[in-house]
Amino acid sequence: MSTESFDAIQTDSQVDYEGVLKKREGDKEKKGGLTTSWSPKYFILTGSTLYLYTSQLKAEPKSSLNIKDAQIITTDVSKDKKNAFAIKQGDIYWAFQASSKDEMDKWVKLLQANLKKEPGEQPKRVLGKKEGSVFFRGTKNLVDSVGSSSLGRKLIKQFSPEADAILSDVEKFIEMASGKERSKEIVTKVIKLAAKASSLHQGKIVKGEEFEALKLPILRVWNTFSDCESSFSRDLPLLSRQIKDLHTHLDKMLRPHLTPKSMNSMRDIVDYFTDLSTLEKLFAEEKKYQDLTEGIFSTLKKAWEGLSPSDKKIILDDCLAQTAENAPKKMEWSDV
């Protein structure tokens, strides 16, 4: 049995995006004329460098393209291929086809965002356990059923009634702000990721101390969100940055074990909740949003009462440390 049946090549460093795209290979002769070949390749975007791998199982890239100041083309790329886009860098022209309109939009958005960045280092790709392994195949049916039925909500409620209550309010908010379909999509992704993280913990694939390292980033988000109840202490840019920081810790912990599809799902959730326009809606003065946020604040207060003294001390000490760090520098006589 080959190791590929239970192991996979995985990206062991933080990147901006990765996934499979079909790439146009150029014209080839065929009886009756010329034809253009489109073949699936694996791509990793980091900084202003796009790395091309012949398959997801390859550790080394076949080639790379510096996209700094390149042109991203989304029209007239192909006459017969949907969801096609291209990168034009000088005389180089790479054309791609995504699996869906949403996937194409995601790639185009991130490519455009990275055009001014510095080139990224080649990602580290190593052999290790990942989704698709014996362990994950044994839990896949459970995870799928958890994400697509009421079972996931029941398990979350059993584990943490507060988390279930907050998820219900968040689901209602997204439906009002972005529509029912988007709400269902994000909540399903949240539940599936939670189920996979739980499986990793229960299977001892991820160590307890790795989960413990998430405590402070989570408590920071919790505390800053709670501060947003008052308009005087509300700091939405700070809340956005802290959610991104939590994502960095989650990415480091989960990337060695989850597929790019799952990692991209997590990125989609984070992008939604770190967008300042989304946060501004959440804390808007409109009554329909106020009722939801009041429910979330009430749940957080109840959860705070249930925290252990040591967890409360962690967040209070962190608040004091941040206050001291941001305090104006005391003037010394030597400064006069």
Side-chain angles (χ1 to χ4, degrees):
M1 181 185 295
S2 70
T3 57
E4 289 179 4
S5 64
F6 59 89
D7 290 295
I9 296 294
Q10 61 203 40
T11 306
D12 196 27
S13 55
Q14 189 168 359
V15 298
D16 292 307
Y17 205 58
E18 59 183 315
V20 176
L21 292 169
K22 287 187 176 179
K23 181 177 180 295
R24 187 163 65 192
E25 300 298 340
D27 295 326
K28 295 181 179 180
E29 289 188 13
K30 186 179 179 181
K31 189 175 181 180
L34 295 173
T35 183
T36 301
S37 170
W38 296 75
S39 59
K41 306 292 182 187
Y42 194 74
F43 294 91
I44 298 179
L45 175 66
T46 174
S48 61
T49 308
L50 183 65
Y51 291 92
L52 180 156
Y53 299 78
T54 54
S55 86
Q56 188 176 344
L57 298 177
K58 298 296 183 183
E60 296 295 325
K62 180 181 179 181
S63 61
S64 64
L65 178 64
N66 185 346
I67 66 166
K68 194 165 187 178
D69 297 323
Q71 182 181 0
I72 309 300
I73 303 169
T74 57
T75 58
D76 301 324
V77 175
S78 173
K79 293 181 180 179
D80 59 344
K81 297 291 183 183
K82 292 182 178 180
N83 311 316
F85 63 99
I87 301 172
K88 188 177 187 303
Q89 179 66 289
D91 296 332
I92 300 173
Y93 187 90
W94 282 13
F96 313 91
Q97 183 190 22
S99 58
S100 67
K101 176 70 164 53
D102 287 344
E103 185 69 2
M104 171 189 160
D105 290 343
K106 189 75 173 178
W107 273 105
V108 169
K109 179 181 177 181
L110 289 167
L111 287 166
Q112 289 174 334
N114 285 28
L115 292 180
K116 297 296 182 182
K117 291 186 178 182
E118 293 301 313
E121 293 184 3
Q122 181 178 317
K124 296 177 182 178
R125 304 269 291 161
V126 297
L127 187 69
K129 294 188 181 298
K130 207 178 185 75
E131 284 182 272
S133 68
V134 169
F135 170 75
F136 275 102
R137 286 205 303 273
T139 59
K140 184 179 185 301
N141 291 337
L142 173 62
V143 169
D144 287 343
S145 63
V146 161
S148 59
S149 72
S150 60
L151 176 60
R153 297 301 287 267
K154 289 178 181 177
L155 291 175
I156 289 177
K157 188 172 185 178
Q158 184 178 11
F159 174 74
S160 171
E162 293 85 1
D164 179 64
I166 291 173
L167 187 60
S168 294
D169 286 333
V170 167
E171 184 175 16
K172 292 173 187 174
F173 162 72
I174 300 172
E175 185 173 336
M176 287 191 293
S178 306
K180 192 171 185 177
E181 186 176 338
R182 183 64 167 147
S183 175
K184 182 180 178 181
E185 178 190 11
I186 289 182
V187 169
T188 298
K189 287 178 178 179
V190 169
I191 294 174
K192 282 191 172 185
L193 283 167
K196 288 172 182 176
S198 177
S199 296
L200 287 166
H201 182 54
Q202 295 296 326
K204 298 182 179 179
I205 304 298
V206 173
K207 298 177 181 178
E209 52 264 33
E210 293 182 82
F211 278 97
E212 188 70 18
L214 296 175
K215 183 178 288 186
L216 181 56
I218 290 173
L219 289 173
R220 280 177 173 168
V221 171
W222 183 350
N223 183 63
T224 302
F225 188 97
S226 298
D227 284 345
C228 289
E229 184 174 10
S230 167
S231 60
F232 295 103
S233 58
R234 190 174 299 158
D235 191 339
L236 300 186
L238 175 62
L239 179 59
S240 177
R241 290 195 301 273
Q242 289 180 338
I243 295 173
K244 289 177 182 177
D245 180 61
L246 173 58
H247 172 239
T248 299
H249 285 79
L250 283 167
D251 186 286
K252 182 179 179 180
M253 182 181 78
L254 297 177
R255 182 171 291 279
H257 311 290
L258 300 185
T259 63
K261 182 179 178 181
S262 292
M263 298 306 295
N264 290 341
S265 290
M266 182 167 67
R267 177 67 179 263
D268 182 41
I269 296 166
V270 171
D271 284 349
Y272 185 84
F273 287 108
T274 55
D275 188 288
L276 288 179
S277 63
T278 299
L279 294 176
E280 286 166 358
K281 281 184 181 179
L282 182 59
F283 297 102
E285 299 300 323
E286 296 178 51
K287 189 177 186 304
K288 64 178 182 178
Y289 293 130
Q290 282 184 333
D291 291 343
L292 287 175
T293 51
E294 284 175 8
I296 294 174
F297 289 134
S298 176
T299 303
L300 289 175
K301 287 174 182 176
K302 289 178 183 177
W304 174 264
E305 293 169 2
L307 277 182
S308 67
S310 60
D311 283 347
K312 288 182 179 179
K313 188 175 186 302
I314 287 174
I315 191 61
L316 291 172
D317 287 348
D318 185 62
C319 287
L320 289 172
Q322 290 190 61
T323 301
E325 184 180 334
N326 296 325
K329 181 184 175 184
K330 184 178 179 181
M331 182 174 288
E332 302 290 345
W333 285 110
S334 59
D335 296 330
V336 177

